[in-house]
């Protein structure tokens, strides 16, 4: 099954279609190091340069964020979770969304439980493209926690104990 895909790099956005190799995009992003984007359109953040390619391979480590889509997976694999509103900064992008933690789990525990692309639901991604602020809402935005500068709860819920310090490399 092919689904729409939007990936956000340091200085480009790639749009196209990806073929799921499992039930959900989340599973595929956790398993694969390279994502084959079909009917790809690359757009430069600075100058709106526009390139169309039949196929484009993007490394998961190049993706700062991605928009999710496709099926949610089997109901039998879902767990009871608490949705916590968070904000993240990754490269030129700011993302707001709901991070789902198990029971009373913390934001830090959830960030490091799974692959590097962490799904945020009911999300918004904001960035500047060609000098203009762009804001997009999406059911799911994946944030690359390994490349994030910071992650924190929404300001109304911020306490010193709730801030997550991410390693810098």
């Amino acid at each position: 099954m092919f689904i729409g895909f939007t990936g956000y790099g340091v200085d480009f956005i790639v749009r196209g279609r990806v073929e799921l190799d499992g039930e959900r995009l989340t599973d595929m992003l956790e398993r694969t190091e390279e994502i084959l984007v079909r009917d790809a359109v690359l757009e430069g953040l600075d100058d709106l340069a526009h390139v169309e390619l039949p196929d484009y391979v993007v490394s998961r480590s190049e993706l700062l964020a991605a928009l999710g889509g496709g099926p949610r997976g089997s109901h039998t694999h879902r767990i009871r979770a608490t949705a916590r509103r968070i904000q993240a900064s990754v490269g030129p992008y700011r993302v707001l969304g709901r991070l789902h933690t198990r029971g009373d789990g913390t934001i830090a525990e959830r960030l490091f439980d799974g692959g590097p692309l962490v799904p945020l639901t009911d999300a918004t991604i904001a960035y500047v493209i060609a000098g203009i602020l762009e804001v997009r809402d999406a059911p799911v935005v994946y944030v690359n926690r390994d490349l994030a500068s910071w992650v924190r709860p929404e300001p109304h819920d911020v306490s010193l104990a709730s801030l997550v310090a991410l390693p810098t490399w």
Side-chain angles (χ1 to χ4, degrees), residues 11 92 99 125 140:
D11 57 0
L99 178 70
I125 185 168
V140 179

Side-chain angles (χ1 to χ4, degrees), residues 5 7-9 12 14 29 32-37 56-66 117 144 147:
F5 178 82
Y8 297 89
F12 70 94
V14 58
L29 293 174
T32 187
E33 292 292 323
E34 293 185 329
I35 298 128
L36 174 61
V37 182
Y56 180 75
V57 176
V58 61
S59 169
R60 185 178 67 190
S61 64
E62 285 182 90
L63 286 177
L64 302 177
L117 291 173
N144 190 328
L147 301 176

Side-chain angles (χ1 to χ4, degrees), residues 94-118:
R94 302 301 172 266
V95 182
L96 293 89
R98 298 184 191 284
L99 178 70
H100 296 265
T101 62
R102 296 174 192 223
D104 291 333
T106 67
I107 291 171
E109 288 170 340
R110 174 57 187 97
L111 284 175
F112 294 98
D113 175 29
L117 291 173
V118 178

Side-chain angles (χ1 to χ4, degrees), residues 12-138:
F12 70 94
I13 298 171
V14 58
R15 293 180 177 88
R17 301 177 305 125
V18 296
E19 186 171 13
L20 289 183
D21 65 358
E23 279 190 23
R24 305 175 307 159
L25 181 59
T26 299
D27 302 328
M28 187 176 111
L29 293 174
E30 285 184 0
R31 277 193 309 273
T32 187
E33 292 292 323
E34 293 185 329
I35 298 128
L36 174 61
V37 182
R38 303 281 178 148
D39 305 321
V41 176
L42 280 78
E43 190 172 24
L45 286 181
D46 292 333
D47 57 6
L48 293 176
H50 185 89
V51 177
E52 294 183 25
L53 300 167
D55 293 327
Y56 180 75
V57 176
V58 61
S59 169
R60 185 178 67 190
S61 64
E62 285 182 90
L63 286 177
L64 302 177
L67 295 187
R72 293 182 57 203
S74 170
H75 287 287
T76 60
H77 291 102
R78 295 190 191 150
I79 59 166
R80 183 173 297 260
T82 302
R84 302 176 188 277
R85 292 282 298 173
I86 69 165
Q87 299 177 2
S89 175
V90 56
Y93 308 100
R94 302 301 172 266
V95 182
L96 293 89
R98 298 184 191 284
L99 178 70
H100 296 265
T101 62
R102 296 174 192 223
D104 291 333
T106 67
I107 291 171
E109 288 170 340
R110 174 57 187 97
L111 284 175
F112 294 98
D113 175 29
L117 291 173
V118 178
L120 303 180
T121 62
D122 301 322
T124 301
I125 185 168
Y127 52 95
V128 174
I129 185 164
I132 298 172
L133 178 65
E134 186 73 29
V135 179
R136 299 261 181 216
D137 292 326

